[in-house]
Short mmCIF file of all heavy atoms in Angstrom, two decimals:
data_model
loop_
_atom_site.label_atom_id
_atom_site.label_comp_id
_atom_site.label_asym_id
_atom_site.label_seq_id
_atom_site.Cartn_x
_atom_site.Cartn_y
_atom_site.Cartn_z
N LEU A 86 0.85 -1.16 0.00
CA LEU A 86 0.01 0.02 -0.03
C LEU A 86 0.87 1.26 0.00
O LEU A 86 0.58 2.24 -0.73
CB LEU A 86 -0.94 -0.03 1.22
CG LEU A 86 -1.84 1.19 1.41
CD1 LEU A 86 -2.75 1.34 0.19
CD2 LEU A 86 -2.63 1.07 2.68
N ASN A 87 1.95 1.21 0.77
CA ASN A 87 2.83 2.44 0.83
C ASN A 87 3.42 2.69 -0.50
O ASN A 87 3.53 3.84 -0.96
CB ASN A 87 3.92 2.22 1.91
CG ASN A 87 3.42 2.23 3.31
OD1 ASN A 87 2.22 2.53 3.56
ND2 ASN A 87 4.26 1.87 4.29
N GLY A 88 3.93 1.66 -1.16
CA GLY A 88 4.54 1.86 -2.48
C GLY A 88 3.56 2.38 -3.51
O GLY A 88 3.84 3.18 -4.35
N SER A 89 2.31 1.89 -3.39
CA SER A 89 1.24 2.36 -4.32
C SER A 89 0.84 3.75 -4.10
O SER A 89 0.65 4.56 -4.97
CB SER A 89 0.03 1.37 -4.19
OG SER A 89 0.39 0.11 -4.61
N LEU A 90 0.78 4.17 -2.83
CA LEU A 90 0.44 5.56 -2.42
C LEU A 90 1.56 6.48 -2.89
O LEU A 90 1.32 7.59 -3.37
CB LEU A 90 0.23 5.71 -0.95
CG LEU A 90 -1.05 5.01 -0.37
CD1 LEU A 90 -1.06 5.10 1.14
CD2 LEU A 90 -2.30 5.66 -0.95
N THR A 91 2.83 6.02 -2.75
CA THR A 91 3.93 6.86 -3.21
C THR A 91 3.84 7.07 -4.72
O THR A 91 4.00 8.19 -5.18
CB THR A 91 5.27 6.14 -2.86
OG1 THR A 91 5.37 6.02 -1.45
CG2 THR A 91 6.43 6.93 -3.38
N LYS A 92 3.59 6.01 -5.47
CA LYS A 92 3.43 6.14 -6.90
C LYS A 92 2.30 7.09 -7.27
O LYS A 92 2.40 7.86 -8.21
CB LYS A 92 3.25 4.75 -7.57
CG LYS A 92 2.99 4.79 -9.06
CD LYS A 92 2.61 3.46 -9.60
CE LYS A 92 2.25 3.55 -11.10
NZ LYS A 92 1.73 2.27 -11.62
N ALA A 93 1.16 6.94 -6.50
CA ALA A 93 -0.02 7.81 -6.78
C ALA A 93 0.13 9.21 -6.24
O ALA A 93 -0.82 10.05 -6.41
CB ALA A 93 -1.25 7.14 -6.14
N GLU A 94 1.23 9.52 -5.64
CA GLU A 94 1.52 10.88 -5.13
C GLU A 94 0.48 11.30 -4.03
O GLU A 94 0.05 12.43 -4.03
CB GLU A 94 1.65 11.90 -6.21
CG GLU A 94 2.74 11.56 -7.20
CD GLU A 94 2.92 12.57 -8.33
OE1 GLU A 94 2.48 13.73 -8.15
OE2 GLU A 94 3.56 12.28 -9.30
N VAL A 95 0.18 10.33 -3.22
CA VAL A 95 -0.70 10.58 -2.04
C VAL A 95 0.13 10.67 -0.79
O VAL A 95 0.93 9.78 -0.47
CB VAL A 95 -1.76 9.40 -1.90
CG1 VAL A 95 -2.59 9.60 -0.61
CG2 VAL A 95 -2.63 9.33 -3.10
N ASP A 96 -0.01 11.78 -0.06
CA ASP A 96 0.74 11.90 1.19
C ASP A 96 0.18 10.97 2.26
O ASP A 96 -1.03 10.82 2.43
CB ASP A 96 0.65 13.34 1.69
CG ASP A 96 1.36 14.31 0.80
OD1 ASP A 96 2.34 13.95 0.18
OD2 ASP A 96 0.88 15.51 0.74
N TYR A 97 1.14 10.30 3.00
CA TYR A 97 0.70 9.36 4.07
C TYR A 97 1.82 9.25 5.08
O TYR A 97 3.00 9.64 4.80
CB TYR A 97 0.39 8.00 3.44
CG TYR A 97 1.62 7.33 2.91
CD1 TYR A 97 2.33 6.39 3.62
CD2 TYR A 97 2.03 7.57 1.62
CE1 TYR A 97 3.47 5.75 3.13
CE2 TYR A 97 3.16 6.93 1.08
CZ TYR A 97 3.88 6.05 1.85
OH TYR A 97 5.00 5.43 1.31
N SER A 98 1.53 8.80 6.23
CA SER A 98 2.51 8.38 7.24
C SER A 98 2.31 6.91 7.47
O SER A 98 1.30 6.31 7.10
CB SER A 98 2.29 9.13 8.52
OG SER A 98 2.47 10.58 8.31
N THR A 99 3.31 6.26 8.07
CA THR A 99 3.25 4.84 8.27
C THR A 99 3.81 4.41 9.60
O THR A 99 4.76 5.02 10.08
CB THR A 99 3.92 4.11 7.09
OG1 THR A 99 3.73 2.68 7.18
CG2 THR A 99 5.46 4.38 7.10
N LEU A 100 3.17 3.34 10.20
CA LEU A 100 3.60 2.85 11.50
C LEU A 100 3.33 1.39 11.62
O LEU A 100 2.56 0.80 10.80
CB LEU A 100 2.85 3.58 12.67
CG LEU A 100 3.51 4.86 13.25
CD1 LEU A 100 2.60 5.42 14.29
CD2 LEU A 100 4.88 4.53 13.79
N TRP A 101 3.91 0.73 12.60
CA TRP A 101 3.79 -0.71 12.79
C TRP A 101 4.08 -0.98 14.29
O TRP A 101 4.80 -0.25 14.95
CB TRP A 101 4.85 -1.45 11.92
CG TRP A 101 6.21 -0.79 12.07
CD1 TRP A 101 7.19 -1.06 12.99
CD2 TRP A 101 6.63 0.36 11.32
NE1 TRP A 101 8.22 -0.19 12.82
CE2 TRP A 101 7.94 0.66 11.84
CE3 TRP A 101 6.08 1.13 10.30
CZ2 TRP A 101 8.67 1.75 11.35
CZ3 TRP A 101 6.84 2.18 9.81
CH2 TRP A 101 8.13 2.49 10.30
N SER A 102 3.50 -2.07 14.79
CA SER A 102 3.76 -2.42 16.19
C SER A 102 3.26 -3.85 16.45
O SER A 102 2.43 -4.36 15.74
CB SER A 102 2.97 -1.44 17.13
OG SER A 102 3.19 -1.79 18.45
N LYS A 103 3.88 -4.42 17.45
CA LYS A 103 3.49 -5.81 17.87
C LYS A 103 2.20 -5.73 18.66
O LYS A 103 1.27 -6.59 18.48
CB LYS A 103 4.59 -6.51 18.66
CG LYS A 103 4.33 -7.96 18.98
CD LYS A 103 5.56 -8.57 19.61
CE LYS A 103 5.29 -10.05 19.91
NZ LYS A 103 6.51 -10.70 20.51
N ASP A 104 2.10 -4.82 19.62
CA ASP A 104 0.87 -4.74 20.48
C ASP A 104 0.38 -3.30 20.61
O ASP A 104 -0.51 -3.08 21.38
CB ASP A 104 1.17 -5.36 21.84
CG ASP A 104 2.30 -4.65 22.52
OD1 ASP A 104 2.80 -3.61 22.07
OD2 ASP A 104 2.70 -5.15 23.61
N PHE A 105 1.02 -2.33 19.95
CA PHE A 105 0.58 -0.93 19.91
C PHE A 105 0.74 -0.27 21.30
O PHE A 105 0.09 0.69 21.61
CB PHE A 105 -0.83 -0.77 19.43
CG PHE A 105 -1.00 -1.45 18.04
CD1 PHE A 105 -1.62 -2.67 17.94
CD2 PHE A 105 -0.51 -0.85 16.93
CE1 PHE A 105 -1.75 -3.35 16.73
CE2 PHE A 105 -0.60 -1.49 15.66
CZ PHE A 105 -1.28 -2.75 15.56
N GLN A 106 1.66 -0.86 22.08
CA GLN A 106 1.92 -0.31 23.40
C GLN A 106 3.42 0.13 23.60
O GLN A 106 3.75 0.64 24.64
CB GLN A 106 1.57 -1.30 24.51
CG GLN A 106 0.04 -1.53 24.76
CD GLN A 106 -0.57 -0.30 25.37
OE1 GLN A 106 -0.07 0.31 26.32
NE2 GLN A 106 -1.69 0.18 24.78
N ASP A 107 4.25 -0.16 22.65
CA ASP A 107 5.66 0.15 22.80
C ASP A 107 5.90 1.65 22.67
O ASP A 107 5.13 2.38 22.12
CB ASP A 107 6.45 -0.64 21.77
CG ASP A 107 6.07 -0.31 20.29
OD1 ASP A 107 5.10 -0.93 19.85
OD2 ASP A 107 6.69 0.55 19.70
N ASP A 108 7.06 2.07 23.25
CA ASP A 108 7.33 3.54 23.29
C ASP A 108 7.51 4.12 21.87
O ASP A 108 7.08 5.27 21.65
CB ASP A 108 8.64 3.73 24.09
CG ASP A 108 8.43 3.42 25.58
OD1 ASP A 108 7.27 3.44 26.00
OD2 ASP A 108 9.45 3.22 26.24
N PHE A 109 8.13 3.36 20.97
CA PHE A 109 8.35 3.87 19.59
C PHE A 109 7.01 4.16 18.99
O PHE A 109 6.76 5.28 18.38
CB PHE A 109 9.11 2.89 18.72
CG PHE A 109 9.20 3.26 17.28
CD1 PHE A 109 10.15 4.18 16.86
CD2 PHE A 109 8.35 2.71 16.37
CE1 PHE A 109 10.27 4.52 15.53
CE2 PHE A 109 8.45 3.07 15.01
CZ PHE A 109 9.38 4.01 14.58
N PHE A 110 6.10 3.19 19.03
CA PHE A 110 4.76 3.41 18.42
C PHE A 110 4.03 4.56 19.06
O PHE A 110 3.49 5.49 18.36
CB PHE A 110 3.90 2.15 18.54
CG PHE A 110 2.52 2.34 17.98
CD1 PHE A 110 2.27 2.33 16.66
CD2 PHE A 110 1.44 2.53 18.89
CE1 PHE A 110 0.98 2.53 16.15
CE2 PHE A 110 0.19 2.67 18.42
CZ PHE A 110 -0.04 2.71 17.07
N LYS A 111 3.99 4.63 20.41
CA LYS A 111 3.26 5.73 21.03
C LYS A 111 3.81 7.06 20.77
O LYS A 111 3.11 8.02 20.59
CB LYS A 111 3.19 5.44 22.58
CG LYS A 111 2.25 4.30 22.96
CD LYS A 111 2.17 4.18 24.49
CE LYS A 111 1.10 3.17 24.91
NZ LYS A 111 0.94 3.08 26.38
N GLY A 112 5.13 7.12 20.70
CA GLY A 112 5.74 8.39 20.41
C GLY A 112 5.41 8.93 19.02
O GLY A 112 5.09 10.06 18.81
N LYS A 113 5.49 8.00 18.00
CA LYS A 113 5.17 8.36 16.69
C LYS A 113 3.70 8.63 16.45
O LYS A 113 3.29 9.46 15.67
CB LYS A 113 5.65 7.30 15.69
CG LYS A 113 7.19 7.11 15.65
CD LYS A 113 7.85 8.38 15.07
CE LYS A 113 9.31 8.27 14.93
NZ LYS A 113 9.97 9.52 14.41
N LEU A 114 2.87 7.84 17.17
CA LEU A 114 1.41 8.09 17.11
C LEU A 114 1.08 9.53 17.66
O LEU A 114 0.27 10.21 17.06
CB LEU A 114 0.64 7.06 17.92
CG LEU A 114 -0.86 7.18 17.90
CD1 LEU A 114 -1.43 7.02 16.53
CD2 LEU A 114 -1.50 6.14 18.87
N THR A 115 1.75 9.89 18.73
CA THR A 115 1.53 11.20 19.31
C THR A 115 1.92 12.30 18.24
O THR A 115 1.19 13.30 18.09
CB THR A 115 2.40 11.41 20.56
OG1 THR A 115 2.03 10.48 21.56
CG2 THR A 115 2.25 12.87 21.13
N GLU A 116 2.97 12.07 17.56
CA GLU A 116 3.42 12.97 16.53
C GLU A 116 2.41 13.11 15.43
O GLU A 116 2.08 14.21 14.95
CB GLU A 116 4.77 12.51 15.98
CG GLU A 116 5.43 13.40 14.99
CD GLU A 116 6.76 12.85 14.46
OE1 GLU A 116 7.31 11.90 15.09
OE2 GLU A 116 7.25 13.32 13.42
N TRP A 117 1.83 11.98 15.00
CA TRP A 117 0.84 11.97 13.92
C TRP A 117 -0.49 12.67 14.35
O TRP A 117 -1.04 13.46 13.66
CB TRP A 117 0.55 10.56 13.41
CG TRP A 117 -0.42 10.50 12.29
CD1 TRP A 117 -0.15 10.88 11.00
CD2 TRP A 117 -1.76 10.09 12.30
NE1 TRP A 117 -1.27 10.69 10.21
CE2 TRP A 117 -2.28 10.21 10.99
CE3 TRP A 117 -2.63 9.58 13.33
CZ2 TRP A 117 -3.58 9.87 10.66
CZ3 TRP A 117 -3.91 9.23 13.01
CH2 TRP A 117 -4.38 9.36 11.66
N LEU A 118 -0.91 12.36 15.59
CA LEU A 118 -2.14 12.99 16.13
C LEU A 118 -1.96 14.54 16.30
O LEU A 118 -2.95 15.23 16.12
CB LEU A 118 -2.48 12.31 17.48
CG LEU A 118 -2.97 10.87 17.47
CD1 LEU A 118 -3.02 10.37 18.87
CD2 LEU A 118 -4.22 10.73 16.73
N SER A 119 -0.77 14.89 16.60
CA SER A 119 -0.53 16.36 16.81
C SER A 119 -0.31 17.13 15.52
O SER A 119 -0.73 18.28 15.41
CB SER A 119 0.68 16.55 17.70
OG SER A 119 0.53 15.86 18.94
N THR A 120 0.36 16.53 14.59
CA THR A 120 0.81 17.23 13.36
C THR A 120 0.22 16.70 12.03
O THR A 120 0.28 17.42 11.03
CB THR A 120 2.34 17.26 13.23
OG1 THR A 120 2.79 15.92 12.95
CG2 THR A 120 2.98 17.72 14.54
N GLY A 121 -0.27 15.49 12.07
CA GLY A 121 -0.79 14.84 10.82
C GLY A 121 0.32 14.22 10.02
O GLY A 121 0.03 13.70 8.92
N THR A 122 1.58 14.26 10.51
CA THR A 122 2.65 13.63 9.78
C THR A 122 3.58 12.93 10.77
O THR A 122 3.54 13.21 11.98
CB THR A 122 3.49 14.63 8.96
OG1 THR A 122 4.03 15.60 9.83
CG2 THR A 122 2.64 15.33 7.91
N ILE A 123 4.46 12.09 10.29
CA ILE A 123 5.52 11.45 11.07
C ILE A 123 6.85 11.63 10.40
O ILE A 123 7.00 11.24 9.15
CB ILE A 123 5.18 9.96 11.29
CG1 ILE A 123 3.96 9.76 12.10
CG2 ILE A 123 6.38 9.25 11.94
CD1 ILE A 123 3.50 8.31 12.19
N ALA A 124 7.81 12.19 11.10
CA ALA A 124 9.14 12.35 10.53
C ALA A 124 9.84 11.00 10.42
O ALA A 124 9.76 10.15 11.39
CB ALA A 124 9.95 13.27 11.39
N LYS A 125 10.49 10.75 9.26
CA LYS A 125 11.18 9.46 9.05
C LYS A 125 12.70 9.64 9.40
O LYS A 125 13.25 10.70 9.19
CB LYS A 125 11.05 9.10 7.62
CG LYS A 125 9.67 8.72 7.14
CD LYS A 125 9.62 8.35 5.73
CE LYS A 125 8.19 8.03 5.22
NZ LYS A 125 8.18 7.63 3.77
N ASP A 126 13.26 8.60 9.89
CA ASP A 126 14.67 8.57 10.10
C ASP A 126 15.40 7.96 8.86
O ASP A 126 15.40 6.74 8.70
CB ASP A 126 14.99 7.69 11.32
CG ASP A 126 16.52 7.59 11.61
OD1 ASP A 126 17.30 8.28 10.88
OD2 ASP A 126 16.89 6.78 12.51
N ASN A 127 15.88 8.81 8.01
CA ASN A 127 16.58 8.37 6.79
C ASN A 127 18.06 8.57 6.91
O ASN A 127 18.79 8.75 5.85
CB ASN A 127 16.01 9.11 5.53
CG ASN A 127 14.66 8.63 5.14
OD1 ASN A 127 14.37 7.44 5.31
ND2 ASN A 127 13.82 9.48 4.58
N SER A 128 18.60 8.55 8.13
CA SER A 128 20.03 8.73 8.32
C SER A 128 20.84 7.62 7.73
O SER A 128 22.05 7.73 7.59
CB SER A 128 20.33 8.87 9.82
OG SER A 128 19.94 7.74 10.54
#
């Protein structure tokens, strides 16, 4: 879906989690709820 949205030039954010309780997920979810986007780590 992500690859298809990229090709279709649709803006989206993406997340994943085992149980949706881990710190990484909650932190990124907070970011999305607050700003509508999630910054990616492309370092």
Side-chain angles (χ1 to χ4, degrees):
L86 178 60
N87 290 353
S89 296
L90 291 173
T91 298
K92 177 187 173 185
E94 300 185 16
V95 175
D96 291 331
Y97 66 95
S98 299
T99 188
L100 268 179
W101 47 90
S102 179
K103 187 174 182 179
D104 59 8
F105 308 101
Q106 286 292 313
D107 58 277
D108 291 341
F109 173 82
F110 176 76
K111 286 187 174 181
K113 292 297 183 181
L114 180 63
T115 299
E116 186 178 344
W117 184 72
L118 292 171
S119 302
T120 68
T122 61
I123 294 175
K125 296 180 182 179
D126 177 7
N127 284 330
S128 59

